[in-house]
Amino acid sequence: MLWTEFSVSHRFLKMEEFFPESFRLDLKEERKAFFEICKEGEMWICKPSCSNRGRGIFLLKNLASVRTLQAELLDAEEKHLLKPHRASKARIVQRYIQQPLLLEGRKFDVRSYLLVASTLPFLLCFAQGYVRLTCAPYHVASDDLTVHLTNQSVQKRSSLYEKMKEETVWPMEHFNSYVNEKFRKTNHLPKNWVFTVFTRRMQQILLQCFLAARHKLQRRLGYFDLFGCDFLIDENFKVWLLEMNANPALHTHCHVLRDIIPTIVHESL
């Protein structure tokens, strides 16, 4: 059985413990706060709040790019005042984690799944999913989005994709073995850190997100939904939630996904 019901404590975490500093650009107060704190030398990632597959994402790598964005938003706001029916799409900016843990020199994140199996009563299930890696080695200064974003749809743009397609997705078992071999001793990790500490942390974070949003869910018999949840691990083995997707991609581009995705769908139903 792929899915497990939640069995974690209800101790609440502070946002900064698991979520990178973020601002919603469609809210005037948060937009103002973001532009006030920006400093040269910082990196931010800007993305639409209702999208997936890496679409519409770009990096803010210096103060000049931040000021360009500020001018564009001001221009859009003025146009909205003239034509209020043409409201721009909501976006967020999120502090970019510049020291991610690397696997074979490449950036990665973990796609896990939260299944709200029932809202009457509430029933949550969790599945670990898989690891998504970039094709090219990670360089924080790179202007190539395929170095920074792990989505399969983004990696397809890389000239290395056809050659490395099968290496862009790892099953969790392989990830666990790799961490045991490469990082366990040097970072003083418990054996099978991936299936113990990391998994419990993901569940703890997702439970907190659910509890924060459950009042918005309609409680009716037969209602359920599947969420794709993306986690990043930094070089200090701190676990970060990057985002949750209400419309997770279920494509099967490689052998690992052909094993995992149909099982996710079948067991969800």
Side-chain angles (χ1 to χ4, degrees), residues 7-210:
S7 57
V8 293
S9 68
H10 285 225
R11 184 184 79 82
F12 280 101
L13 304 168
K14 295 180 180 179
M15 285 282 284
E16 58 267 25
E17 290 184 66
F18 68 91
F19 194 63
E21 185 177 14
S22 302
F23 297 88
R24 293 168 289 182
L25 295 180
D26 54 314
L27 299 183
K28 187 175 182 179
E29 297 80 9
E30 293 193 23
R31 184 167 66 244
K32 182 174 181 290
F34 167 66
F35 289 122
E36 286 179 350
I37 71 162
C38 278
K39 299 177 182 177
E40 192 64 62
E42 296 180 339
M43 275 184 65
W44 297 81
I45 185 167
C46 185
K47 48 191 174 182
S49 60
C50 296
S51 186
N52 64 359
R53 302 173 67 186
R55 291 176 293 191
I57 294 179
F58 57 88
L59 298 179
L60 300 168
K61 303 182 69 174
N62 50 49
L63 207 52
S65 61
V66 171
R67 296 309 173 213
T68 298
L69 175 63
Q70 186 177 24
E72 290 175 355
L73 291 175
L74 182 60
D75 182 59
E77 187 176 34
E78 291 174 350
K79 290 180 179 178
H80 174 58
L81 292 175
L82 295 174
K83 299 180 179 180
H85 62 285
R86 293 187 178 180
S88 58
K89 292 183 179 180
R91 304 186 68 88
I92 70 165
V93 285
Q94 188 176 75
R95 188 177 292 277
Y96 186 86
I97 298 171
Q98 299 189 47
Q99 293 84 32
L101 184 68
L102 303 179
L103 303 181
E104 300 180 349
R106 295 180 288 156
K107 188 176 180 181
F108 76 97
D109 62 18
V110 174
R111 163 57 60 89
S112 65
Y113 294 94
L114 172 67
L115 175 66
V116 180
S118 169
T119 60
L120 189 67
F122 284 128
L123 174 62
L124 306 182
C125 296
F126 169 82
Q128 289 174 322
Y130 54 92
V131 176
R132 311 185 300 184
L133 300 93
T134 61
C135 294
Y138 176 71
H139 298 286
V140 67
S142 175
D143 292 324
D144 185 353
L145 269 183
T146 67
V147 171
H148 299 278
L149 303 181
T150 64
N151 312 64
Q152 282 281 302
S153 55
V154 173
Q155 290 307 304
K156 284 184 174 182
R157 306 174 198 166
S158 171
S159 59
L160 300 171
Y161 183 73
E162 287 305 315
K163 178 182 177 181
M164 299 187 63
K165 178 172 64 174
E166 297 298 336
E167 300 176 43
T168 59
V169 179
W170 286 6
M172 295 300 287
E173 292 79 9
H174 180 51
F175 178 43
N176 182 63
S177 297
Y178 188 92
V179 171
N180 280 340
E181 179 183 349
K182 301 292 186 179
F183 299 118
R184 184 186 171 199
K185 290 183 179 179
T186 54
N187 291 274
H188 308 291
L189 301 176
K191 186 178 180 180
N192 298 326
W193 178 87
V194 168
F195 290 136
T196 55
V197 176
F198 177 52
T199 297
R200 287 194 297 268
R201 189 63 162 183
M202 287 192 292
Q203 290 179 330
Q204 184 182 27
I205 291 170
L206 293 182
L207 178 61
Q208 179 160 326
C209 292
F210 169 78

